[in-house]
Amino acid sequence: QVPVVESGGGLVQVGDSLRLSCTSSGLPFDEYSLAWFRQAPGKEREGVSCITSRGDHYYADSVKGRFSISRDNAKNTLYLQMNSLKPEDTAMYYCAAAVPCSSSWPPRQGSISPLVGYWGQGTQVTVSS
């Protein structure tokens, strides 16, 4: 299993910002569409945002206007800038590579795992009110 590693999670207050990062020492990110997913306790994993290898990006309705996905291929790194955080954003956030990324984003909950080539271990984001 090629390691994909997330970082940047933490405990923040409502309205705060966080930036998540994801990188890999063995997977050339520039060859893949990349994405962020999240999973809250007791809920299905859901797609947050994805970005294609050429930079097209898509968002779940729940995060549009607040979150921004970007990639730096020179650093082999994926980012998720999260602003105006809400308690409902509390979840484990997962980086994924080799994902279907198109205008039909996000994928239907419950059907996600078979679609993803590589998963990270996750980074916890907790938004306190």
Side-chain angles (χ1 to χ4, degrees):
Q1 181 72 15
V2 177
V4 176
V5 181
E6 304 94 336
S7 62
L11 172 62
V12 296
Q13 302 290 319
V14 170
D16 284 352
S17 298
L18 272 178
R19 188 176 79 158
L20 305 183
S21 301
C22 171
T23 190
S24 174
S25 60
L27 192 65
F29 275 4
D30 59 350
E31 296 183 8
Y32 297 99
S33 291
L34 307 172
W36 290 97
F37 292 83
R38 67 186 182 187
Q39 188 166 16
K43 294 189 177 181
E44 296 267 12
R45 191 168 296 191
E46 64 176 358
V48 175
S49 181
C50 70
I51 186 167
T52 67
S53 57
R54 67 175 189 179
D56 299 323
H57 44 78
Y58 305 94
Y59 299 91
D61 287 343
S62 59
V63 305
K64 280 180 182 175
R66 300 188 298 122
F67 290 12
S68 178
I69 193 170
S70 61
R71 63 193 299 162
D72 186 334
N73 289 336
K75 295 182 178 180
N76 212 44
T77 301
L78 173 72
Y79 301 101
L80 184 69
Q81 178 66 43
M82 304 186 295
N83 299 326
S84 302
L85 283 162
K86 304 175 180 180
E88 51 263 43
D89 294 319
T90 295
M92 186 71 79
Y93 282 72
Y94 297 92
C95 173
V99 302
C101 181
S102 70
S103 58
S104 63
W105 185 266
R108 181 175 55 86
Q109 292 183 16
S111 68
I112 291 172
S113 289
L115 304 175
V116 174
Y118 304 91
W119 286 106
Q121 294 301 305
T123 185
Q124 178 68 37
V125 173
T126 302
V127 184
S128 172
S129 57

